[in-house]
Amino acid sequence: ILTVNGVDVTELTFDIMEKTKKFSFKYYKFFGFLSKVAAKALFPLKVAGDRKIDKPALILTNHVSFFDFMFVAAAFYPQPFNIVVGEKMANSRKNAFYINKMGCITRAQFTSDAVSIMRMKRDMQSGASIMICPEGRITASGVTGYIPPSTAKLVKWLKCDVIFLKISGAFAANPSWDVNRRERFPITVDVSKRLTAEQVAKMDNSAVMEAISASLFNNDFDYLEKIGYDKKRKNGAVGLERLLYRCPVCGKEFETVTEGNEITCNHCKKSFRLTPQGKLIGAGEEFDRVDKWFETQRAAVRKEISEKDFSLTEKARFFTLKESGYGYEAAGEGAISFNAEGTRVCGTLNGKALDEFMPAESLPVVSYGPGRFLDFYIQKPVRLVPENVGACTKLGLIVEELHNAKTKL
């Protein structure tokens, strides 16, 4: 029985699901083969652990790059698996063709979708495993992020084996601050950790969540230090100001600039050199690596939102997925604002007044591209591009820390 808000929706969901496209084993063989070949051609790739899948399983992987499907294919092809993807990915010109042909399972980010869950069950019954990136968004900092507790409920409901696949090195090859970059970094795909259906049945939800979090945790900067990566690169820091927007020395925001392998604060003139391992030469120990600097920004946001009468507003343009064609189209403008209670998006969307409030306790994270956009689900996917586009990372951190403050009370 499948319930939503306590209501049995199994029969209704089944009727809708029957109208959706089924997983195509034929197209999987084609796209899976291409992906495996591409992964091995583009990256020095190592797969550790047992690749054999005895019966349809749930494959959970950390989400580090746009190439994650290729790495999973490199580990498991020709054994069949379908992919759960976000609506915006299915609307991407680069991905729509194979997603449609393979019959991939689409769903809205960070939402409960009964139809997609039933489709997972249907595909597993037909003999395919299911791949999910439970973070729901590509990591912005190179470190595994928030995984919703509903993931454990899904694992328990599917009653199947769980395979944990951890990807290391792919964020460094395709960093969030420069998504057009692709470098030949050594990639490791670790599939050594698993849970059997019998083990899952004996575990409560919290134990399942602990297993998921521990098995998928990855820090690409720890990984680069561990393997001793030292290949020099040009313009490695270009775009890094999109992620590292606050100077950890003087505290000024949106004054960082980059050139070559250097990041500099225009206000205090401090400059740091980025090494191939992600370390920042010339920085203090507390922020001498990209992920450490990023966490100083989180700490600053945490302090800011704790102040009495905290509020912040940014003007923004709104975009929605095109009903026909690919990508996004302009849909309106307005503002995004924050206070201790949560996040509000207001303005005009598709010619209608918009005023959507999202309580902090129910909005743990938001998907964002540093220096580019923030994605919300407001009855449908809505992309916000702030007037100060450099503020995207800060606004994303505010959402996370407002939620943390509320849920820790």
Side-chain angles (χ1 to χ4, degrees):
I1 295 175
L2 189 65
T3 62
V4 175
N5 295 328
V7 179
D8 182 358
V9 296
T10 307
E11 185 174 342
L12 175 61
T13 301
F14 185 80
D15 290 341
I16 298 173
M17 181 193 68
E18 283 300 295
K19 299 175 183 178
T20 62
K21 190 166 185 176
K22 294 183 179 180
F23 175 64
S24 171
F25 287 85
K26 179 180 73 172
Y27 279 106
Y28 166 77
K29 289 180 180 179
F30 176 70
F31 291 114
F33 174 75
L34 286 183
S35 296
K36 181 173 183 175
V37 171
K40 292 190 172 182
L42 294 173
F43 304 99
L45 186 66
K46 175 185 176 182
V47 179
D50 184 3
R51 305 187 192 194
K52 185 178 180 182
I53 302 177
D54 295 319
K55 54 187 177 181
L58 181 63
I59 303 168
L60 297 180
T61 176
N62 58 321
H63 205 359
V64 285
S65 74
F66 291 105
F67 305 108
D68 293 348
F69 169 62
M70 296 197 319
F71 302 133
V72 180
F76 295 124
Y77 183 85
Q79 299 166 111
F81 64 90
N82 202 355
I83 320 166
V84 178
V85 301
E87 281 183 89
K88 65 178 183 180
M89 185 176 177
N91 199 253
S92 162
R93 186 181 298 275
K94 293 180 180 178
N95 302 302
F97 181 74
Y98 87 80
I99 287 174
N100 180 58
K101 290 296 185 181
M102 263 182 55
C104 295
I105 300 168
T106 59
R107 64 178 298 177
Q109 286 179 302
F110 313 119
T111 63
S112 297
D113 184 340
V115 174
S116 68
I117 294 171
M118 292 294 284
R119 289 184 67 189
M120 293 179 213
K121 192 74 168 179
R122 179 185 67 185
D123 288 349
M124 295 183 80
Q125 290 170 345
S126 71
S129 294
I130 300 294
M131 169 193 162
I132 299 179
C133 301
E135 291 167 89
R137 59 176 188 165
I138 295 175
T139 173
S141 66
V143 181
T144 303
Y146 172 85
I147 297 176
S150 58
T151 308
K153 296 179 181 179
L154 176 64
V155 168
K156 296 282 285 183
W157 187 81
L158 289 175
K159 299 178 181 178
C160 63
D161 291 355
V162 182
I163 301 173
F164 299 108
L165 185 145
K166 183 170 75 172
I167 304 166
S168 301
F171 176 85
N174 182 219
S176 64
W177 63 83
D178 187 0
V179 294
N180 294 317
R181 182 190 305 169
R182 180 190 54 77
E183 298 191 37
R184 284 182 58 81
F185 274 73
I187 308 293
T188 298
V189 177
D190 186 346
V191 293
S192 60
K193 295 184 179 180
R194 303 188 179 206
L195 287 175
T196 65
E198 292 74 22
Q199 288 174 315
V200 170
K202 296 176 182 178
M203 302 165 71
D204 60 19
N205 287 353
S206 62
V208 173
M209 274 306 300
E210 287 179 13
I212 294 170
S213 298
S215 299
L216 297 186
F217 181 79
N218 173 72
N219 182 322
D220 251 27
F221 300 102
D222 285 342
Y223 172 75
L224 292 177
E225 285 196 24
K226 180 180 178 181
I227 65 174
Y229 188 82
D230 60 359
K231 184 179 178 180
K232 293 183 180 180
R233 52 184 173 169
K234 295 181 179 179
N235 301 320
V238 172
L240 188 55
E241 74 280 0
R242 299 168 184 163
L243 182 72
L244 304 183
Y245 62 87
R246 180 184 183 274
C247 176
V249 177
C250 68
K252 279 288 185 178
E253 295 181 344
F254 316 122
E255 291 286 346
T256 50
V257 294
T258 55
E259 182 178 357
N261 290 320
E262 303 279 332
I263 181 168
T264 302
C265 173
N266 270 339
H267 183 259
C268 69
K269 307 304 179 184
K270 292 288 184 179
S271 185
F272 314 100
R273 178 169 59 86
L274 181 68
T275 73
Q277 294 181 0
K279 294 187 74 68
L280 293 158
I281 304 301
E285 184 178 351
E286 69 278 10
F287 59 94
D288 64 355
R289 212 168 63 174
V290 171
D291 57 323
K292 292 183 180 180
W293 184 326
F294 183 81
E295 288 304 313
T296 68
Q297 297 176 158
R298 183 185 298 279
V301 165
R302 190 179 303 125
K303 181 179 179 181
E304 183 177 347
I305 67 168
S306 68
E307 295 175 358
K308 186 178 180 181
D309 299 326
F310 161 75
S311 67
L312 185 146
T313 299
E314 288 280 348
K315 292 181 180 179
R317 292 175 292 144
F318 304 151
F319 298 82
T320 54
L321 294 173
K322 293 180 179 179
E323 292 188 7
S324 60
Y326 304 107
Y328 288 82
E329 59 186 0
E333 60 183 17
I336 179 171
S337 60
F338 306 90
N339 60 31
E341 299 305 313
T343 303
R344 185 181 299 278
V345 176
C346 59
T348 303
L349 182 68
N350 294 324
K352 298 181 180 179
L354 171 69
D355 189 354
E356 183 79 8
F357 178 73
M358 292 158 277
E361 55 267 31
S362 61
L363 185 66
V365 293
V366 62
S367 178
Y368 63 92
R372 295 183 296 137
F373 62 81
L374 298 100
D375 283 341
F376 289 86
Y377 191 83
I378 305 174
Q379 284 81 57
K380 60 183 177 180
V382 178
R383 173 159 291 184
L384 275 66
V385 178
E387 187 173 77
N388 175 14
V389 75
C392 291
T393 299
K394 179 178 181 178
L395 303 186
L397 285 173
I398 289 174
V399 169
E400 294 174 26
E401 290 308 310
L402 286 175
H403 175 79
N404 290 340
K406 275 291 184 183
T407 55
K408 287 178 180 178
L409 292 177

